[in-house]
Amino acid sequence: MSNTATSSSDTKVLFEITEAHLDTGLRGLPVGTVLTSAVSPTEGVSYVGYPVADLAYHDPEAVVFLLFHKRLPDDKELVDFKADLAARSAVDPKVLDLLASLPRDGHPMEWLMAGLIFLGMTGRTGDWLEDSLNLVARSATLVANIFRIRAGWGAPIAPRPELGLVENCVHQMGVPGGDVARLNELLRVFYVLHMDHGGGNLSTFVGKAIASGHADVYTSLSGAMGGLYGPLHGRANQECLDFTREVGSTDPVQVERFTRETLASGGKIYGFGHAVLRAEDPRARIQYELGERLCPTDPLFRTAVVMREVCSRVLKENPKVANPYPNVDAVSGTLLNASGLSDSDYYTVLFGFSRIAGIAAQIVDERTVLREGKGVPIYRCKYIAKDQPARRIG
Ligand code: MLT
């Protein structure tokens, strides 16, 4: 099979599809274009051309603006954009009542998926851009209350949108015993680092696919969060902290023994490797550096630092391992834990909080910008029927 072009203006062969590509989860197959970010196997992700490391300490809202407008805002535009998001941020009180009625043993990501649907039912406009910006703005209150209500930390706290997207979320979480300044510093960087990762990661792809059928932004993002929920995608950050706790030692010899035993028993070393990256993820490097500032003596953080070297070294011994290096999830959980968020079940919700902005920006592009504004048609790829000889009844 070869991907012969179908239109004369479209004749450049980008990729030769062979049978070996079938049933591989579309791995590496080009299916479209993306305007918000690019992933280089060796350099990591860039947002609209800026390496993520250059943006890590920017205002989260400036980076949201970048993904939606494809340029950074000037000072006045940033002030106006923050005010605009603040003005959009009110969440219908019914959403919090509905959250309070959810089963506590539902995973926080299930709460996030449900919460996004509740936001849609109570505030949808039907306009791709409006709904996307409203959703980004409202996600701070939704996410904070998933923590607060599900964990039983007390009644909802009145929002303060003027604080900023991340700060308003931290304020409304009201983490018991939490260090607000440290959480703000960490989550601002966390928010920027997790915002977007090219067009083809599972949650983004799913979100855009749902939007291609013209379901609204809220439904599309709820489906996207279902993709992010899996332990091979966003929930890896939860698994990583649990794994780091299991390693439980800063002694390189013991860490190496645990790593080898895990691999020998067929287990996975969470937080290492990536579908696209072939070098250490710059998002991991930034978080290791941040940890040295925020929680240098935290024992789990020290364990994660030892794992950075030891797990990579052990994984490198296997020539079949394409990427033995830490990824974005390797250390994020230890930083969250050291900042007062010790329940790893919630970590993927924070990943989702940030990724909502990137997926929503890509949905707006696919629906209203690409193909000279006509938008991408409904997704409909081809599956080749197998083991289905023709049959007749009777
Ligand atoms: C990531 O942020 O690393 C992802 O969303 C996973 C991917 O790119 O496939």
Side-chain angles (χ1 to χ4, degrees):
M1 274 163 287
S2 112
N3 55 338
T4 36
T6 49
S7 93
S8 53
S9 61
D10 206 357
T11 47
K12 192 168 158 204
V13 175
L14 293 172
F15 198 89
E16 204 71 40
I17 296 177
T18 70
E19 283 185 343
H21 292 105
L22 301 179
D23 299 330
T24 60
L26 295 171
R27 188 61 64 102
L29 267 60
V31 294
T33 54
V34 55
L35 306 173
T36 55
S37 63
V39 184
S40 148
T42 51
E43 306 301 320
V45 68
S46 52
Y47 296 163
V48 199
Y50 296 98
V52 72
D54 290 8
L55 297 168
Y57 290 92
H58 274 55
D59 266 336
E61 291 87 346
V63 184
V64 174
F65 184 102
L66 171 67
L67 296 193
F68 277 89
H69 294 269
K70 317 299 182 271
R71 63 180 178 80
L72 282 166
D74 63 26
D75 291 348
K76 173 165 184 330
E77 284 171 328
L78 180 56
V79 170
D80 291 348
F81 188 60
K82 284 180 167 183
D84 181 43
L85 288 179
R88 294 170 179 278
S89 67
V91 166
D92 189 312
K94 280 199 284 297
V95 171
L96 304 191
D97 293 344
L98 284 161
L99 286 180
S101 73
L102 293 178
R104 291 275 174 91
D105 49 9
H107 190 277
M109 281 300 281
E110 294 178 295
W111 280 50
L112 178 59
M113 286 183 258
L116 288 164
I117 296 290
F118 299 154
L119 282 182
M121 287 193 274
T122 53
R124 180 191 305 120
T125 70
D127 179 273
W128 295 108
L129 180 59
E130 281 297 299
D131 276 344
S132 292
L133 293 173
N134 288 343
L135 173 52
V136 169
R138 292 169 195 175
S139 60
T141 293
L142 174 63
V143 164
N145 281 290
I146 289 174
F147 277 81
R148 194 154 181 83
I149 296 173
R150 186 177 174 280
W153 288 343
I157 296 174
R160 290 193 53 202
E162 74 282 4
L163 295 177
L165 205 51
V166 169
E167 293 84 346
N168 184 28
C169 181
V170 170
H171 158 73
Q172 290 181 81
M173 276 182 192
V175 183
D179 177 339
V180 171
R182 187 196 275 193
L183 268 174
N184 279 338
E185 185 171 356
L186 171 61
L187 287 181
R188 279 170 61 90
V189 177
F190 187 100
Y191 191 90
V192 171
L193 295 183
H194 288 79
M195 213 180 282
D196 207 31
H197 211 247
N201 67 79
L202 178 65
S203 49
T204 306
F205 181 77
V206 168
K208 291 186 295 189
I210 296 173
S212 80
H214 291 196
D216 62 83
V217 169
Y218 296 92
T219 309
S220 304
L221 261 298
S222 182
M225 292 301 113
L228 196 70
Y229 179 27
L232 297 187
H233 191 13
R235 196 164 17 125
N237 62 5
Q238 168 180 345
E239 307 292 341
C240 269
L241 180 71
D242 298 344
F243 185 69
T244 309
R245 282 185 171 135
E246 269 178 64
V247 172
S249 168
T250 52
D251 173 4
V253 177
Q254 285 200 39
V255 174
E256 179 165 342
R257 188 177 317 126
F258 188 89
T259 307
R260 289 191 188 284
E261 282 170 9
T262 304
L263 289 170
S265 63
K268 186 170 160 44
I269 308 295
Y270 281 98
F272 290 76
H274 195 275
V276 180
L277 301 175
R278 293 295 171 262
E280 183 173 273
D281 190 333
R283 300 171 299 175
R285 179 173 49 73
I286 292 160
Q287 293 180 80
Y288 287 117
E289 288 164 8
L290 187 59
E292 294 296 353
R293 225 183 44 247
L294 290 183
C295 53
T297 58
D298 177 76
L300 272 181
F301 176 64
R302 297 277 34 115
T303 301
V305 170
V306 173
M307 288 169 67
R308 180 186 192 184
E309 189 277 316
V310 172
C311 296
S312 293
R313 178 161 48 74
V314 173
L315 286 167
K316 266 185 215 162
E317 291 170 9
N318 181 350
K320 290 203 189 114
V321 174
N323 174 6
Y325 301 105
N327 61 42
V328 67
D329 300 314
V331 69
S332 60
T334 64
L335 301 188
L336 292 168
N337 178 61
S339 306
L341 295 175
S342 56
D343 188 345
S344 63
D345 279 4
Y346 290 88
Y347 292 174
T348 313
V349 171
L350 294 172
F351 189 156
F353 175 33
S354 157
R355 191 56 65 94
I356 281 169
I359 299 175
Q362 291 200 30
I363 287 176
V364 171
D365 290 342
E366 282 220 350
R367 303 286 23 104
T368 69
V369 178
L370 293 175
R371 304 180 86 226
E372 286 90 40
K374 289 198 299 286
V376 174
I378 186 167
Y379 281 28
R380 185 37 171 116
C381 47
K382 180 178 171 75
Y383 277 71
I384 294 173
K386 188 176 168 193
D387 296 339
Q388 300 180 54
R391 297 174 213 247
R392 303 298 297 267
I393 302 289

